Amino acid sequence: MTHRTLHSTTLAAACSTLILTLAAAIALAQSPAGTLAQQPSTTVAPEPASASPAPPTPPAPAATPLAPPVATAVPQPAAFIPLPQVLQRRERGNLIFDGVPPPDPALAARLSRYQQSRGATFLDWLADGSLLVSTRFGDTEQVHRVSAPLGMREQLTFYSDPIEWARGAKSGKGFVFLKDHAGDDNAQVYYYAGNGEPRALTHGAFIHGSIVWAHDGKRVAFYGNDRDSLSYDVYVADVTGAGVPQLVVGGRDDTWYPLDWSPDDSKLLAWKYLSSSESYLYLADVASGALTPLEQKPARAGIRMARFDPEGRGVYVVTDEDGEFAQLKFKDLITHESRRVSADVNWDVEDFDASADGRYIAYVLNEDGRSRLAVLDKESKQTLTPAGLPEGRIGNPRFDRTGRRLAMTVDSPTSPRDVYVYEVEKDSVTRWTHSEAGPVDVSTFVAPELVRYPTWDRVGGHERRLSAYVYRPKQASGPLPVVIDIHGGPEAQYRPEWDPFVQFLVNELGYAVVAPNVRGSSGYGKSFLALDNGVLREDAVRDIGSLLVWIGVQPGFDRERVAVMGGSYGGYMALAALVTYGERLRGGIDLAGISNFVTFLRNTSGYRRDWRRTEYGDERDPNMRAFLQRISPLTNARRIRKPVLVVAGQNDPRVPISESEQLVWSVRTGGGEVWYLVAKDEGHGFLKKANRDEYLQTAASFLQKLAH
């Protein structure tokens, strides 16, 4: 669950109330006398006897726990429409609370202690050896400079919107950063010269990113969809002048990312992205834009990242071309040979960097969700494994200009996000930031247990087992209520990391939190990643059914008190679970989730549409459209008989707020209970502290209700 993460207006609310009232009046006129009067306004309408039953799932082998069947038929309309509930609607600042009860002050006070923590994220080195970090002193994270270990954090950007990405120039004091407006994802490129006001290098309602500095410290390359709002083209801008960015690669309906400059700044390493399983690399001439394939006969493979080696002889590439997992390889541009650099293990390489002189190569392995750092010394042929880092997640490892210091972000379930520096020649780790956990005792925080549970199908003649991280209270009495926390993506993975809200649920509300990695998650090989694509979508929902079976036989869990929650794609999964396994759930939370795949694909931002069709299916095909309609929670909204909290950002360009609006309307017209929270100044997730605090307070109230 990503808790760092909605368009209900006064007019819309008035219209909804009017339509509900008219519908109820019509139903009353057409129903036998007293039918509606006998239904309390808070009672869920019963399933009509004529509803079509869902066809059964083919039975699994006897040794495999059988998940309840996935719903495939839509119930017939009920014989009546219940009277609309009397819903509270209140606004506070940029937040709209629709049908959300007032907060419990005592509960809010308990949660507040867990909401005061801060983290520090490493962004980049500056040329003078100081660090750029992102941290929060007010409502949003901003760029700060840290000049020495545990030194002062000097704030450099001051915006109401968060700044979470920046890159320092290879010479001088300047850096570039990205900033959007109110979560609209239209990130613009800004340059800060070291003093004065930052200067915008791009403008308009367009998206930009993947910024890389030239070695001359004067030019940056980045992608943008300025040309047609759909395609990602590569531009180059001179930060020292006032000219407009120049188009280098583009002019087609393609998705291009600049990844690096050659040592002489004459070429760009350009990445042509088609899908997570198919990408290609090219050398782009900066002067002419001419493209040369990196390989004459490239394999169809997924590429995660790539950079020139410091000498320009070849390119380091993280690719899965040799098997199931992404490995770090070196491709020689002269001999055209390719060799493995990382260890031969069945885990993905998720990040890497090379020192300026090429001697050291650092890479991070994702081992079942936990990170492991390795530093290869090419001279001694030794692999160093730095000691002294928290066991958790490592991000953005980058060498300084000397090539002897490696900075990174590290966090864990029991320690906040902070910046550490590994000094290679001393083989020592130094902590550069020390972030506050807030007024809580972190010794009470729990580390999750990695478990594997059997699912409904078999692979290689054996039952398939999926991984999940389980948080349990240290002091537990009696069977625990459970919340299933489903990650988004779907091409993502639950990773154990700093999350005070999870700790609040465990320590204060007494929940066990179970975070599964269902099929389609990353980190477990490219075949596993593809197991939920297109018409296989329901198989991932069945994995939640199998998890419910597993939860039901755990002696420490209360099978009668299970809730589900998720954000983005995880929101869809939470809704689908409520549709399919509602009789085994108390309720659920949907943060910016997909309610109807057809309307989602029609309304998501144009530059994302084809990319998402690769994952979910092309709704323009009649057969696929019918399938997507059938499995969508909106189609089956009347099956949602348990309370649901729906949360959305009004400016969300990825999963538009219409996905939440139509779901709320449909569930309520069927008599279901919905709490609905909207932020008018957020997009895909709640990034501003004040908004995030209110969301988590609402979620805490909702889950406390479900647990009793």
Side-chain angles (χ1 to χ4, degrees), residues 30-76:
Q30 295 176 344
S31 302
T35 300
L36 287 175
Q38 295 168 6
Q39 299 293 329
S41 61
T42 56
T43 299
V44 176
E47 190 81 291
S50 60
S52 301
T57 304
T64 304
L66 181 63
V70 169
T72 55
V74 183
Q76 298 300 315

Coordinates of all heavy atoms in Angstrom, one line a residue, residues 30-76:
Q30 N -43.9 2.0 -8.1 CA -44.1 0.7 -8.9 C -44.0 -0.5 -7.9 O -44.3 -1.6 -8.4 CB -42.9 0.6 -9.9 CG -43.0 1.6 -11.0 CD -41.8 1.6 -11.9 OE1 -40.8 0.9 -11.7 NE2 -42.0 2.2 -13.1
S31 N -43.7 -0.3 -6.7 CA -43.6 -1.5 -5.7 C -44.8 -1.7 -5.0 O -45.7 -0.8 -4.8 CB -42.4 -1.2 -4.8 OG -41.2 -1.0 -5.5
P32 N -45.0 -2.9 -4.4 CA -46.2 -3.2 -3.6 C -46.1 -2.2 -2.4 O -45.0 -1.8 -1.9 CB -45.9 -4.6 -3.2 CG -45.1 -5.2 -4.2 CD -44.2 -4.1 -4.7
A33 N -47.3 -1.9 -1.9 CA -47.4 -1.0 -0.7 C -46.5 -1.5 0.4 O -46.5 -2.6 0.8 CB -48.8 -0.9 -0.3
G34 N -45.7 -0.5 0.9 CA -44.9 -0.8 2.1 C -43.6 -1.4 1.8 O -42.8 -1.6 2.8
T35 N -43.3 -1.8 0.6 CA -42.0 -2.5 0.3 C -40.8 -1.7 0.7 O -39.9 -2.2 1.5 CB -41.9 -2.9 -1.2 OG1 -42.9 -3.7 -1.5 CG2 -40.5 -3.6 -1.5
L36 N -40.8 -0.4 0.3 CA -39.6 0.4 0.6 C -39.7 0.8 2.1 O -38.6 0.9 2.7 CB -39.6 1.6 -0.3 CG -39.2 1.4 -1.7 CD1 -39.3 2.6 -2.5 CD2 -37.7 0.9 -1.8
A37 N -40.8 1.1 2.6 CA -40.9 1.5 3.9 C -40.4 0.5 4.9 O -39.9 0.9 6.0 CB -42.4 1.8 4.3
Q38 N -40.4 -0.8 4.5 CA -39.9 -1.8 5.4 C -38.4 -1.9 5.4 O -37.8 -2.6 6.2 CB -40.5 -3.2 5.0 CG -42.0 -3.2 5.2 CD -42.6 -4.4 4.6 OE1 -41.9 -5.3 4.1 NE2 -43.9 -4.5 4.6
Q39 N -37.7 -1.2 4.5 CA -36.3 -1.3 4.4 C -35.6 -0.1 5.1 O -35.8 1.0 4.7 CB -35.8 -1.3 2.9 CG -36.4 -2.4 2.1 CD -35.8 -3.7 2.6 OE1 -34.7 -3.8 3.0 NE2 -36.6 -4.8 2.5
P40 N -34.8 -0.3 6.2 CA -34.1 0.8 6.8 C -33.2 1.4 5.8 O -32.6 0.7 4.9 CB -33.3 0.1 7.9 CG -34.0 -1.3 8.1 CD -34.6 -1.6 6.8
S41 N -32.9 2.7 6.0 CA -32.1 3.4 5.0 C -30.7 2.9 5.0 O -30.0 3.2 4.0 CB -32.1 4.9 5.3 OG -31.6 5.1 6.6
T42 N -30.2 2.3 6.0 CA -28.8 1.8 6.0 C -28.7 0.3 5.7 O -27.6 -0.3 5.7 CB -28.2 2.0 7.4 OG1 -29.1 1.4 8.4 CG2 -28.2 3.5 7.7
T43 N -29.8 -0.4 5.3 CA -29.8 -1.8 5.0 C -29.4 -2.0 3.6 O -29.8 -1.4 2.7 CB -31.1 -2.4 5.3 OG1 -31.5 -2.2 6.7 CG2 -31.1 -3.9 5.0
V44 N -28.5 -3.0 3.4 CA -28.1 -3.4 2.1 C -29.2 -4.2 1.4 O -29.8 -5.1 2.0 CB -26.8 -4.2 2.1 CG1 -26.4 -4.7 0.7 CG2 -25.6 -3.4 2.7
A45 N -29.5 -3.8 0.2 CA -30.6 -4.5 -0.5 C -30.2 -6.0 -0.7 O -29.1 -6.3 -1.1 CB -30.8 -3.8 -1.9
P46 N -31.1 -6.9 -0.5 CA -30.8 -8.3 -0.6 C -30.7 -8.7 -2.1 O -31.3 -8.0 -3.0 CB -32.0 -9.0 0.0 CG -33.1 -8.0 -0.1 CD -32.5 -6.7 0.0
E47 N -29.9 -9.7 -2.4 CA -29.8 -10.2 -3.8 C -31.1 -10.8 -4.2 O -31.7 -11.7 -3.5 CB -28.7 -11.3 -3.8 CG -28.3 -11.7 -5.2 CD -27.3 -10.7 -5.8 OE1 -27.7 -9.6 -6.1 OE2 -26.1 -11.1 -6.0
P48 N -31.6 -10.4 -5.3 CA -32.9 -11.0 -5.8 C -32.8 -12.5 -6.1 O -31.7 -12.9 -6.5 CB -33.3 -10.2 -7.0 CG -31.9 -9.7 -7.5 CD -31.1 -9.4 -6.3
A49 N -33.8 -13.2 -5.9 CA -33.8 -14.7 -6.1 C -33.5 -15.0 -7.6 O -33.0 -16.1 -7.9 CB -35.1 -15.3 -5.7
S50 N -33.8 -14.1 -8.5 CA -33.7 -14.4 -9.9 C -32.3 -14.1 -10.4 O -32.0 -14.2 -11.6 CB -34.6 -13.5 -10.7 OG -34.4 -12.2 -10.5
A51 N -31.3 -13.6 -9.5 CA -30.0 -13.3 -10.0 C -29.3 -14.5 -10.6 O -29.4 -15.6 -10.1 CB -29.2 -12.7 -8.8
S52 N -28.6 -14.3 -11.7 CA -27.9 -15.4 -12.3 C -26.7 -15.8 -11.5 O -25.8 -14.9 -11.2 CB -27.4 -15.0 -13.7 OG -28.5 -14.6 -14.5
P53 N -26.5 -17.1 -11.2 CA -25.3 -17.5 -10.4 C -24.1 -17.4 -11.2 O -24.1 -17.6 -12.4 CB -25.7 -18.9 -10.0 CG -26.6 -19.4 -11.1 CD -27.4 -18.2 -11.5
A54 N -22.9 -17.2 -10.6 CA -21.6 -17.2 -11.3 C -21.3 -18.6 -11.6 O -21.4 -19.5 -10.8 CB -20.6 -16.6 -10.4
P55 N -20.8 -18.9 -12.8 CA -20.4 -20.3 -13.2 C -19.2 -20.7 -12.3 O -18.4 -19.9 -12.0 CB -20.0 -20.2 -14.7 CG -19.7 -18.7 -14.9 CD -20.6 -18.0 -13.9
P56 N -19.1 -22.0 -12.0 CA -18.1 -22.4 -11.1 C -16.7 -22.4 -11.8 O -16.6 -22.6 -13.0 CB -18.5 -23.8 -10.7 CG -19.3 -24.3 -11.9 CD -20.1 -23.0 -12.3
T57 N -15.6 -22.2 -11.0 CA -14.3 -22.4 -11.6 C -14.0 -23.9 -11.7 O -14.3 -24.6 -10.8 CB -13.3 -21.7 -10.6 OG1 -13.7 -20.3 -10.5 CG2 -11.9 -21.7 -11.1
P58 N -13.3 -24.3 -12.7 CA -12.9 -25.7 -12.8 C -12.1 -26.1 -11.5 O -11.3 -25.3 -11.0 CB -12.0 -25.8 -14.0 CG -12.4 -24.6 -14.9 CD -12.8 -23.6 -13.9
P59 N -12.4 -27.3 -10.9 CA -11.7 -27.7 -9.7 C -10.2 -27.8 -9.8 O -9.8 -28.3 -10.8 CB -12.4 -29.0 -9.3 CG -12.9 -29.5 -10.6 CD -13.3 -28.3 -11.4
A60 N -9.5 -27.4 -8.8 CA -8.1 -27.6 -8.8 C -7.8 -29.0 -8.2 O -8.6 -29.6 -7.7 CB -7.4 -26.5 -7.9
P61 N -6.5 -29.4 -8.4 CA -6.2 -30.7 -7.8 C -6.4 -30.7 -6.3 O -6.3 -29.7 -5.7 CB -4.6 -30.8 -8.2 CG -4.5 -30.0 -9.4 CD -5.5 -28.8 -9.2
A62 N -6.6 -31.9 -5.8 CA -7.1 -32.0 -4.4 C -6.1 -31.4 -3.4 O -6.4 -30.9 -2.4 CB -7.3 -33.5 -4.0
A63 N -4.8 -31.5 -3.8 CA -3.7 -31.0 -2.9 C -3.7 -29.4 -2.8 O -3.0 -28.9 -2.0 CB -2.4 -31.5 -3.3
T64 N -4.4 -28.8 -3.8 CA -4.3 -27.3 -3.8 C -5.6 -26.7 -3.2 O -6.7 -27.1 -3.6 CB -4.2 -26.9 -5.3 OG1 -3.1 -27.5 -5.9 CG2 -4.1 -25.4 -5.4
P65 N -5.4 -25.8 -2.3 CA -6.6 -25.1 -1.7 C -7.4 -24.4 -2.9 O -6.8 -23.8 -3.7 CB -6.0 -24.0 -0.8 CG -4.7 -24.5 -0.5 CD -4.2 -25.3 -1.7
L66 N -8.7 -24.6 -2.8 CA -9.5 -24.1 -3.9 C -10.1 -22.8 -3.5 O -10.7 -22.6 -2.5 CB -10.7 -25.1 -4.2 CG -11.7 -24.7 -5.3 CD1 -11.0 -24.7 -6.6 CD2 -12.9 -25.7 -5.3
A67 N -9.8 -21.8 -4.3 CA -10.3 -20.4 -4.1 C -11.7 -20.4 -4.5 O -12.2 -21.0 -5.4 CB -9.5 -19.4 -4.9
P68 N -12.5 -19.5 -3.8 CA -13.9 -19.3 -4.3 C -13.9 -18.9 -5.7 O -13.0 -18.2 -6.2 CB -14.4 -18.2 -3.3 CG -13.5 -18.4 -2.1 CD -12.2 -18.8 -2.6
P69 N -15.0 -19.2 -6.5 CA -15.0 -18.8 -7.9 C -15.1 -17.3 -8.1 O -15.6 -16.6 -7.3 CB -16.3 -19.5 -8.4 CG -17.2 -19.6 -7.2 CD -16.2 -19.8 -6.0
V70 N -14.5 -16.9 -9.3 CA -14.6 -15.5 -9.7 C -15.9 -15.2 -10.3 O -16.4 -16.0 -11.1 CB -13.4 -15.2 -10.7 CG1 -13.6 -13.8 -11.3 CG2 -12.1 -15.3 -10.0
A71 N -16.5 -14.1 -9.9 CA -17.8 -13.7 -10.5 C -17.7 -13.4 -11.9 O -16.9 -12.6 -12.4 CB -18.4 -12.5 -9.7
T72 N -18.6 -14.0 -12.7 CA -18.5 -13.7 -14.2 C -19.9 -13.2 -14.7 O -20.0 -12.8 -15.8 CB -18.1 -15.0 -14.9 OG1 -19.0 -16.0 -14.6 CG2 -16.7 -15.4 -14.6
A73 N -20.9 -13.4 -13.9 CA -22.3 -13.0 -14.3 C -22.7 -11.8 -13.5 O -22.4 -11.6 -12.4 CB -23.3 -14.1 -14.1
V74 N -23.5 -10.9 -14.2 CA -23.9 -9.7 -13.5 C -25.3 -10.0 -12.9 O -26.2 -10.5 -13.6 CB -24.0 -8.6 -14.5 CG1 -24.5 -7.3 -13.8 CG2 -22.7 -8.4 -15.2
P75 N -25.6 -9.7 -11.6 CA -26.9 -9.9 -11.1 C -27.9 -9.0 -11.8 O -27.6 -8.0 -12.3 CB -26.7 -9.5 -9.6 CG -25.3 -9.4 -9.4 CD -24.6 -9.2 -10.7
Q76 N -29.1 -9.5 -11.9 CA -30.2 -8.8 -12.5 C -30.6 -7.6 -11.5 O -30.3 -7.7 -10.3 CB -31.5 -9.7 -12.7 CG -31.2 -10.8 -13.6 CD -30.8 -10.3 -15.0 OE1 -31.4 -9.4 -15.5 NE2 -29.8 -10.9 -15.6

